[in-house]
Amino acid sequence: ASGKRVLSSSDDEDDYREDTWDEQTAERLGVMPAINPQKEQRRRANMQKRIASGKTVKDRSGMPVEATAKLGKGNLKYMRGEYEDAEALFMDCIRLAPTFPDAYMSLSRLYEEKGDMKKSMNFLMVAAYLSKKDAQIWKDAAIKSQEQGALRQAVHCYNQVIRREKDDLEWRYARGGVFLELNMKKKALDDFLYYRES
């Protein structure tokens, strides 16, 4: 037993029983990935050797471990309101892992917090291009682009969302609104009619 205590199914809140939860049970139930402890120990030992020898070491997502550490520290600084330090750490993370969207997204949030909406939009667009399949980033980029008056960019973002989520008609309607702002009435009407008739 792990020593943790949980409420039993009894109605009496004072009635506790020992928790028999363990890694084998969790793996069997599929609530955590199966990890071979010996393999994991070897992997960590090899990682430490590579770090000590000055080689680039990557985490499970393929991101360099040094970049992951800088991203984590940057997010902590951001949450504490230490924006300049956070910005420097996010920039270091981009230098170490330029093809990963995480630091770009963090910078987008940081600049939005600082009130620089144009920079926020630009970093979000980079994150959207790098994340490829993540429709949510494209949605955020579409809304932010529209708010900033980058209407053709907003249309491109809405196109990406519609391509990934064909059944979600809300985004087609939103794109119709942007077409209307661009004075592209025929395309706007097509989107509005598609939305109404579906």
Side-chain angles (χ1 to χ4, degrees):
S2 65
K4 291 181 182 174
R5 299 176 73 82
V6 296
L7 280 172
S8 73
S9 58
S10 166
D11 292 334
D12 183 1
E13 288 187 15
D14 294 328
D15 184 17
Y16 290 91
R17 63 178 168 77
E18 287 296 317
D19 182 8
T20 57
W21 190 262
D22 58 21
E23 285 186 7
Q24 287 80 17
T25 306
E27 287 176 19
R28 213 170 40 251
L29 294 172
V31 293
M32 64 181 285
I35 296 172
N36 181 321
Q38 291 83 19
K39 237 182 187 179
E40 185 63 18
Q41 192 174 5
R42 278 197 305 273
R43 189 186 73 77
R44 288 186 182 171
N46 288 336
M47 186 184 289
Q48 291 304 321
K49 285 179 190 173
R50 288 176 65 86
I51 289 169
S53 68
K55 293 181 181 174
T56 301
V57 180
K58 296 181 178 179
D59 65 15
R60 291 185 184 278
S61 70
M63 191 171 182
V65 171
E66 189 182 349
T68 306
K70 286 188 184 291
L71 182 64
K73 287 177 187 172
N75 282 324
L76 280 173
K77 296 276 187 189
Y78 167 74
M79 286 189 291
R80 291 180 188 147
E82 300 169 22
Y83 296 148
E84 281 69 31
D85 292 342
E87 183 179 1
L89 286 161
F90 293 146
M91 288 297 191
D92 284 347
C93 182
I94 287 172
R95 182 180 51 78
L96 293 164
T99 59
F100 285 81
D102 307 57
Y104 298 99
M105 287 177 64
S106 294
L107 277 167
S108 176
R109 283 193 304 272
L110 185 146
Y111 286 123
E112 183 172 359
E113 194 71 31
K114 288 172 76 173
D116 190 338
M117 301 308 287
K118 187 168 183 185
K119 268 190 178 180
S120 176
M121 176 187 71
N122 290 338
F123 277 106
L124 188 60
M125 283 300 297
V126 175
Y129 277 110
L130 291 173
S131 61
K132 294 182 178 115
K133 294 181 182 177
D134 191 338
Q136 186 57 53
I137 299 177
W138 284 109
K139 289 174 186 178
D140 295 342
I143 292 165
K144 198 163 276 191
S145 297
Q146 189 173 358
E147 287 171 351
Q148 292 305 301
L151 299 179
R152 292 193 180 277
Q153 181 171 291
V155 168
H156 174 72
C157 295
Y158 284 125
N159 289 343
Q160 298 302 316
V161 174
I162 292 163
R163 189 173 298 146
R164 287 161 178 77
E165 296 188 356
K166 292 179 175 63
D167 297 332
D168 193 344
L169 301 178
E170 171 191 345
W171 302 101
R172 190 175 286 272
Y173 186 84
R175 185 181 67 179
V178 180
F179 280 137
L180 206 55
E181 285 186 68
L182 286 166
N183 205 28
M184 299 169 78
K185 293 175 185 171
K186 168 86 170 68
K187 288 190 173 188
L189 187 60
D190 288 345
D191 273 350
F192 293 147
L193 286 173
Y194 189 92
Y195 175 81
R196 198 182 81 183
E197 290 168 6
S198 297

